[in-house]
Amino acid sequence: MTIRKIFAEVGIGNPSFLSTECEEGEKEYRVAMFIRPKNIHGYYIRLWILKKVFIISTNGGIKITSKNHACI
């Protein structure tokens, strides 16, 4: 059984400033409107600088990772 994760996003660089992203396993899709979630399990800020990702999270603290980022 795959757990679906839903993220309400506010961000510069996304196709729309307010959007909702749904993830199911390896699949993900984005809805170009803001859907307010019923339950909030945490907040995070993700900042991309080249291939470095800086993440500040209420659940996981501070992380710095390197990832490939595909601009759409």
Side-chain angles (χ1 to χ4, degrees):
M1 183 173 139
T2 303
I3 297 173
R4 184 169 73 167
K5 296 180 182 179
I6 301 173
F7 299 95
E9 296 186 338
V10 178
I12 298 170
N14 291 338
S16 62
F17 184 68
L18 298 173
S19 63
T20 303
E21 180 179 291
C22 300
E23 292 182 359
E24 285 189 74
E26 295 295 318
K27 297 179 184 178
E28 66 178 50
Y29 59 94
R30 185 180 311 271
V31 179
M33 61 184 275
F34 190 76
I35 300 171
R36 186 172 179 214
K38 291 181 183 178
N39 298 318
I40 298 173
H41 298 284
Y43 297 92
Y44 72 92
I45 296 172
R46 181 172 55 189
L47 176 66
W48 291 87
I49 300 177
L50 300 175
K51 291 189 178 195
K52 293 281 186 191
V53 184
F54 299 87
I55 303 168
I56 301 171
S57 170
T58 57
N59 297 334
I62 299 172
K63 293 182 187 177
I64 300 173
T65 60
S66 295
K67 292 186 179 182
N68 290 328
H69 179 64
C71 296
I72 296 174

